[in-house]
Amino acid sequence: MAKINIDGVQNVEISKKIPCEKPIEQQLEIMENYTRTYQKYIDAPKAKREIECLKTIYPILFRSIEDDDLIAGRLDFLPIGFGAVTSVGGVGHYCVFHKLRAFKEELPQSEWARVDALYDFWQDHDVKTLYCQDILNDTTTGRFIDCTYPFMATARLSGMILDYQKLVTQGINGILHSIQNDQEDPFIHGCIEALALFKDVIKAQIELCEQAKKNKEQSRIKQLEQMQDDLAYLLEHKPATFRQALQLFWLYALCAGCINYGRLDIVLGPFLKRDIETKEISEEEAYDLIRSLWKMIENRRTTVNGRIIVGGKGRKDQEACDLFTKLCLRVCKNTRYVEPQFTLRFDHDTDPEILDMAYDCIASGATYPTLYNDDVNVPAVQYAMRVSEEIAEQYVPFGCGEFVIQGKSIGTPNTLLNLVKILQLALNQGVDPMDGIYKAGPVEVKPLASFQTFDQFYDQYKRLLDYYFELSVQAQKHSYTIMNQEVSFLFNSILMDDCLGRKKALLDGGVEIVGGTNETYGNINASDALYTIKTLVFDQKKYMLDQLNEAALANFAGYEKLHKEIMALPKYGNDEMDCDELANDLFEYIAKGIRQKGIDHGMDYYLIVISNNQTNTDWGHETHASLDGRKKGVYMNPANNPQGGNSKNGPTAVLNSLARFDAKYHGGSVQNIKFTPRMMHEDQEKVKALFKTYFKKGGCQLMVTVVDRGVLEDAQIHPELYPDLIVRVAGYSAVFVNLGKDVQEELLSRTLYD
C-alpha cells in the first residue's frame, strides 16, 4: 500500500463532468489495455512507453460529433490514462484513485477484482503519487487539497500554452520536416510517432463525421462534408482557411491535454481576415464557428481554466487580431458560459470600440472578458521573469491568473502557502492552534512575552515564512524532476521552444524558460492581523500581545469588546495609507523572497500568484481565528481583495488599495469587484473613468461581476430559478447555484457597489 492518502479529491470541480460516452465494460477494457501496455514497456525509454500508451487511448476515447458541432473534436477521459493536468484526468501516467473507486461501484461485483488489480498496480506508478511519496509529511506539507497544513504541494503541468502559431503556419508535415530525423534518439522518435498518431486521430474524426451523417438533413450533411474535406486536407497540408486552422488547433490541444489556449487572435486572426477578404467565409459564419468552439470548451468542464486571450502588445497583424477579437466579444456576450475564461489584454493604443464592447459584455453579466493592463503587465513580466521586452509581450494568464510565456515557458503552480496559518505559528511557538500540531520545523519560535517591538515579532514571522519559502521551491523543483523522470509530454514538447531543436523533452532541458508559481492565500487577513498587533500592542499599548492571542484562541468568545475594537480598526481596501503600506510591505517580502529562492535554486523564475479557486474558503475551514477579526473556520480573503465586508469606503478606495501592489514582483494577481447592473448601465461613463484611473495608477488586472442586489440571496433560497446566474469566484467564474453554500456565503460577503 502507498504511504500517503491517495484516495482523496485532487482538485476543485464545480462544473459537473459529462459522462464518458463509452459503455462501462469498454471503459474498463481501455484502462486495462493502457495498464498492460505500460507494464510491457515499463523498462523502455520513457518516450517509447509514453507513445505506446497514448496509442491505447487515441483515437478511441474521442466522442461522437454532436448535431451542432461545426468543428470535430470531443474527448473523454477515464480514471486511468495520460494527461498533463488534474482537471481532465491527471498528470503523466495517472490514476485518479477516488474516481476509480467510484467507477468500480458501477460494475457488477463479479468484475471488481479487475478494478482492484488496476488500483493496486497504479499505487506504485501514478506520477502524482510518486511525487507525493517524496514530498509530503505529517506536519508542514500536505497534498492539494488537504487544508490542514500551512503548505500544500502537488504535481501537474498546468499552464501549457503551446505555440499553435507554429502548428497552423507549418502544418503537421511541415513540423515533421523540421525535425532532425534521428531515429536512434528515443525522444525524437517519440515525437515523430506522436505526429503519426495525430494523423490517426484526424482520420478517426473523418469517420466520425461519416457516422454523424446518418438520418440528417441535407444542410447538416453539407456541414459534415465540409468538416471531412477540411480534415482530409490537414493530413497532408498546412491550413489554408480559418476553418482549417481552427480545426487543427483544437484537435491538437485535445491530444496534448491542454486546457488553456492562449492568444488565439494571433493564431487565427490572419486566417479569418484572409477568408473574409476573399469571401471564403462571412463574418456570421465565422461567428458561428467561434461559438461552436466556445461550446466545446465549456463542455470540457475544467472549472478554472479554458483561457482564451486576445488583444494587447506584441501582435504583428493588429487589424486581423482585432477582427477576431470583436467576433469573440459578440460570442462571449451572447453565450455567457462559465468557460472559456475569455481574457482581454489592452493598452493605451487599444481600439476604443473593443473596450466599449468589453464593457458592454461585462455589464450584461457575462463576467467576461477579464481585463489585463499591458502598460503595467509587460514591463512587470520583463522584470519578474528576467526576459526581454519582446518575450514579455507574449505573456499569457492561465487558470486562476498565473503568467507564462506562450510557447516558451512552464510556470505551473505546484505549491500553495497559507499565510494566516504561518502567522499563527509565530503567535503560538510553532503550534497550529487548529489541531495542536507543531509545524515550524527547525525554526526557533520565541514566546510572545519576549518581543519588545513590533519589528521583533514581524521578524519572527518572516523567519517562518523563509522556512516555508525553502520548502516551496524544493517541492516545485521536485515536481518537475518526478514528472521528467516518468514522461516526455511528447505532444506538448513538439510545440514548445526549443524542445525539437535541443532534442530534449519539455522538462528534460528542452523548454527555454523554466519557471513556476506559488499560490498564496490569506494575504490580506495576515496583513490586517499584523496591523492589529502593531496598532493595539506596540503603538497604542492598549493590550499585551498574549492577550490578543488568547482572544483569538478563544475564537473571541468572552472577548466581544476586543473583537469589536479590532473590527473597527482600518482595514486594507479602504485607501487607508498605513494599513495599505503594511499590506504592501508583507506582499513585497513574500514576493521578493519567493522570487529570490527560485533564482538561488537555478530557476528562471519562481513567482507568487495572488489568486484563489475557492481554496480561500476550503483553507479557511481549517484555519483558526485570526487577529484581523476573522472567526475560526471562516473563509479567508479572496486573492488580493479585502476580507468580505471590510470594504467600507466605496469602489474608488478599494481600487486605490489594489493598485499599490507593484506588479513586477508577482506572477499574476486577481482583482475582483462587484457592481449592480444599474451602476454599469446608468453610470457607465463613471465606471469607465474609474477603471481608467485605476489602470493608470498601476492596476494590473480586473475581474467584474455584475448582479442585482438581493439576487444572490434569492438564488440561495430558489436555486431552480437561477440556473444560468454566473458569478466571478476569483480566478474563475461559476454558476452560482452550483457552488457550495460556504463559497456562496463568501461571495455574498463581498461588497456590492451601486
Side-chain angles (χ1 to χ4, degrees):
M1 293 296 294
K3 300 185 293 259
I4 60 163
N5 175 16
I6 55 176
D7 219 4
V9 174
Q10 63 180 11
N11 60 280
V12 174
E13 290 187 358
I14 303 300
S15 305
K16 186 177 180 181
K17 302 290 188 186
I18 296 174
C20 180
E21 184 179 62
K22 303 290 185 294
I24 192 165
E25 179 64 29
Q26 187 181 9
Q27 294 178 45
L28 179 56
E29 290 172 358
I30 293 170
M31 290 190 287
E32 288 177 325
N33 191 20
Y34 186 97
T35 304
R36 283 192 297 268
T37 302
Y38 182 97
Q39 292 166 331
K40 179 180 178 180
Y41 292 96
I42 196 167
D43 294 322
K46 61 184 180 181
K48 176 64 174 176
R49 181 172 65 235
E50 180 176 326
I51 191 62
E52 294 301 328
C53 286
L54 286 172
K55 291 174 184 177
T56 71
I57 55 175
Y58 298 154
I60 194 171
L61 278 182
F62 277 84
R63 297 171 64 94
S64 301
I65 293 169
E66 297 191 3
D67 286 345
D68 56 352
D69 289 346
L70 298 181
I71 55 173
R74 291 177 174 271
L75 182 64
D76 279 325
F77 59 92
L78 300 175
I80 292 170
F82 189 91
V85 293
T86 55
S87 298
V88 283
V91 60
H93 302 287
Y94 72 79
C95 178
V96 186
F97 293 97
H98 76 283
K99 290 188 175 180
L100 187 61
R101 281 192 180 276
F103 174 85
K104 174 181 171 180
E105 296 299 320
E106 297 179 33
L107 289 164
Q109 194 166 353
S110 59
E111 304 293 340
W112 284 7
R114 295 167 65 186
V115 178
D116 291 340
L118 295 174
Y119 191 101
D120 291 342
F121 175 79
W122 286 106
Q123 284 185 101
D124 296 320
H125 300 281
D126 165 63
V127 171
K128 186 176 177 184
T129 299
L130 294 175
Y131 168 75
C132 289
Q133 304 271 34
D134 290 345
I135 290 294
L136 305 192
N137 58 51
D138 294 331
T139 56
T140 60
T141 311
R143 67 167 182 82
F144 184 68
I145 45 178
D146 185 345
C147 294
T148 59
Y149 296 81
F151 168 54
M152 294 190 287
T154 189
R156 55 188 174 182
L157 198 67
S158 296
M160 271 291 94
I161 302 185
L162 307 182
D163 186 359
Y164 295 113
Q165 194 171 12
K166 175 181 177 181
L167 176 69
V168 299
T169 54
Q170 295 185 21
I172 303 169
N173 285 347
I175 294 175
L176 277 169
H177 292 154
S178 73
I179 295 176
Q180 300 175 42
N181 196 346
D182 184 354
Q183 291 286 347
E184 298 302 314
D185 185 287
F187 169 68
I188 291 297
H189 184 67
C191 289
I192 292 170
E193 286 208 64
L195 290 172
L197 179 58
F198 186 47
K199 286 193 174 186
D200 289 341
V201 167
I202 292 175
K203 292 172 185 175
Q205 298 305 307
I206 294 172
E207 177 55 34
L208 287 172
C209 286
E210 193 63 35
Q211 295 173 17
K213 289 180 186 177
K214 295 176 182 177
N215 303 317
K216 297 297 187 298
E217 295 181 357
Q218 190 59 39
S219 59
R220 180 56 179 162
I221 292 173
K222 185 177 179 181
Q223 288 177 337
L224 292 165
E225 287 175 343
Q226 175 71 68
M227 263 193 254
Q228 287 179 302
D229 291 344
D230 289 336
L231 289 161
Y233 186 87
L234 292 170
L235 286 170
E236 303 300 332
H237 305 89
K238 63 184 180 182
T241 68
F242 174 71
R243 185 182 281 107
Q244 290 168 0
L246 176 60
Q247 179 68 83
L248 185 65
F249 140 74
W250 178 242
L251 283 177
Y252 198 97
L254 292 176
C255 289
C258 292
I259 53 177
N260 293 283
Y261 310 107
R263 305 187 76 181
L264 288 190
D265 55 344
I266 292 177
V267 176
L268 300 174
F271 291 92
L272 174 63
K273 178 185 173 186
R274 188 186 314 143
D275 282 5
I276 288 178
E277 287 176 347
T278 61
K279 301 191 185 308
E280 170 74 23
I281 194 173
S282 69
E283 285 198 20
E284 287 310 305
E285 288 172 322
Y287 170 92
D288 290 340
L289 283 164
I290 296 170
R291 183 166 183 146
S292 185
L293 173 67
W294 242 248
K295 183 178 180 182
M296 297 178 97
I297 292 173
E298 191 279 335
N299 284 179
R300 291 189 83 186
R301 309 286 168 84
T302 63
T303 301
V304 301
N305 295 286
R307 286 261 186 178
I308 289 176
I309 296 98
V310 296
K313 297 179 182 293
R315 300 178 300 159
K316 290 181 180 178
D317 190 343
Q318 187 168 320
E319 181 184 353
C321 292
D322 284 354
L323 176 62
F324 180 81
T325 296
K326 290 173 183 178
L327 284 173
C328 287
L329 283 162
R330 284 180 54 201
V331 172
C332 181
K333 182 177 180 180
N334 293 337
T335 54
R336 294 179 60 174
Y337 291 148
V338 168
E339 293 181 79
Q341 287 210 62
F342 184 52
T343 297
L344 176 65
R345 286 176 46 181
F346 68 93
D347 63 10
H348 60 278
D349 290 327
T350 296
D351 182 349
E353 182 184 354
I354 286 176
L355 288 175
D356 285 342
M357 291 179 71
Y359 287 127
D360 286 343
C361 194
I362 293 167
S364 75
T367 74
Y368 297 119
T370 59
L371 304 172
Y372 282 78
N373 180 7
D374 272 13
D375 290 327
V376 168
N377 288 323
V378 169
V381 168
Q382 186 178 350
Y383 174 86
M385 294 188 182
R386 303 187 296 162
V387 296
S388 68
E389 182 179 2
E390 182 181 10
I391 291 175
E393 286 178 344
Q394 300 307 322
Y395 85 91
V396 281
F398 71 89
C400 290
E402 303 88 343
F403 290 166
V404 288
I405 306 299
Q406 180 149 346
K408 285 186 179 293
S409 85
I410 53 171
T412 184
N414 287 350
T415 53
L416 307 89
L417 284 175
N418 182 334
L419 303 183
V420 180
K421 265 190 182 293
I422 298 172
L423 179 57
Q424 291 172 346
L425 301 183
L427 287 162
N428 294 282
Q429 291 190 260
V431 174
D432 182 347
M434 200 69 181
D435 54 21
I437 297 175
Y438 181 84
K439 300 176 182 178
V443 180
E444 180 187 0
V445 188
K446 296 179 181 179
L448 299 183
S450 66
F451 301 117
Q452 302 303 309
T453 67
F454 173 73
D455 286 342
Q456 289 176 348
F457 174 75
Y458 197 9
D459 286 344
Q460 172 153 288
Y461 181 36
K462 289 176 179 177
R463 286 193 295 274
L464 283 162
L465 288 170
D466 290 343
Y467 170 61
Y468 275 93
F469 296 167
E470 182 67 24
L471 291 179
S472 298
V473 73
Q474 290 178 7
Q476 180 79 29
K477 288 196 70 177
H478 194 63
S479 71
Y480 295 158
T481 299
I482 290 296
M483 288 188 284
N484 183 56
Q485 170 187 298
E486 299 299 316
V487 293
S488 295
F489 295 113
L490 292 168
F491 277 105
N492 302 92
S493 295
I494 289 169
L495 293 186
M496 287 293 287
D497 288 343
D498 187 26
C499 296
L500 294 180
R502 296 175 177 178
K503 295 186 180 181
K504 291 184 178 292
L506 184 75
L507 296 172
D508 203 20
V511 72
E512 289 184 356
I513 304 170
V514 178
T517 40
N518 188 324
E519 298 181 10
T520 58
Y521 293 85
N523 305 54
I524 303 306
N525 298 112
S527 68
D528 280 347
L530 288 170
Y531 186 80
T532 297
I533 293 168
K534 182 178 184 298
T535 302
L536 295 184
V537 177
F538 296 104
D539 291 347
Q540 298 179 2
K541 302 186 185 304
K542 294 182 69 173
Y543 298 94
M544 301 295 289
L545 184 50
D546 58 356
Q547 289 178 291
L548 293 188
N549 193 45
E550 287 171 8
L553 293 175
N555 199 27
F556 299 106
Y559 297 86
E560 287 76 14
K561 181 176 178 293
L562 173 57
H563 184 257
K564 185 176 181 180
E565 195 170 351
I566 290 172
M567 294 306 296
L569 289 173
K571 297 286 190 291
Y572 172 85
N574 294 285
D575 201 12
E576 297 274 2
M577 186 59 71
D578 289 347
C579 192
D580 288 359
E581 283 183 350
L582 185 51
N584 189 60
D585 187 81
L586 178 62
F587 153 71
E588 289 201 4
Y589 185 83
I590 294 164
K592 292 176 182 178
I594 289 288
R595 182 175 182 271
Q596 190 60 49
K597 283 290 183 186
I599 293 170
D600 293 344
H601 282 261
M603 298 178 71
D604 293 303
Y605 67 86
Y606 183 45
L607 306 170
I608 69 166
V609 57
I610 313 171
S611 68
N612 68 286
N613 46 23
Q614 91 170 49
T615 305
N616 68 311
T617 298
D618 293 338
W619 228 336
H621 291 328
E622 299 295 335
T623 302
H624 213 283
S626 45
L627 286 176
D628 60 324
R630 182 194 135 271
K631 297 287 187 74
K632 176 181 178 181
V634 172
Y635 44 78
M636 297 188 296
N637 77 281
N640 196 24
N641 296 79
Q643 180 77 357
N646 282 353
S647 174
K648 307 288 189 182
N649 293 347
T652 301
V654 75
L655 291 177
N656 282 340
S657 293
L658 291 172
R660 290 201 170 99
F661 282 16
D662 193 332
K664 74 179 184 181
Y665 297 124
H666 63 65
S669 180
V670 170
Q671 328 284 358
N672 284 306
I673 198 163
K674 287 195 311 187
F675 292 111
T676 63
R678 187 213 64 76
M679 188 168 184
M680 287 298 293
H681 290 288
E682 295 179 21
D683 294 331
Q684 188 175 104
E685 293 308 312
K686 292 181 182 178
V687 172
K688 287 181 181 179
L690 175 66
F691 289 177
K692 184 176 181 179
T693 302
Y694 160 70
F695 289 126
K696 189 174 181 179
K697 293 179 72 171
C700 60
Q701 187 254 27
L702 205 58
M703 298 178 172
V704 185
T705 295
V706 176
V707 63
D708 270 316
R709 192 174 299 280
V711 166
L712 298 183
E713 291 87 345
D714 195 54
Q716 283 189 309
I717 302 169
H718 304 290
E720 71 282 357
L721 300 179
Y722 301 91
D724 302 315
L725 177 59
I726 308 294
V727 291
R728 195 73 191 165
V729 179
Y732 69 99
S733 295
V735 175
F736 181 76
V737 298
N738 289 347
L739 296 167
K741 192 171 188 301
D742 53 353
V743 181
Q744 291 179 349
E745 290 298 327
E746 194 271 307
L747 293 174
L748 283 165
S749 75
R750 302 179 192 176
T751 302
L752 176 63
Y753 299 108
D754 187 5

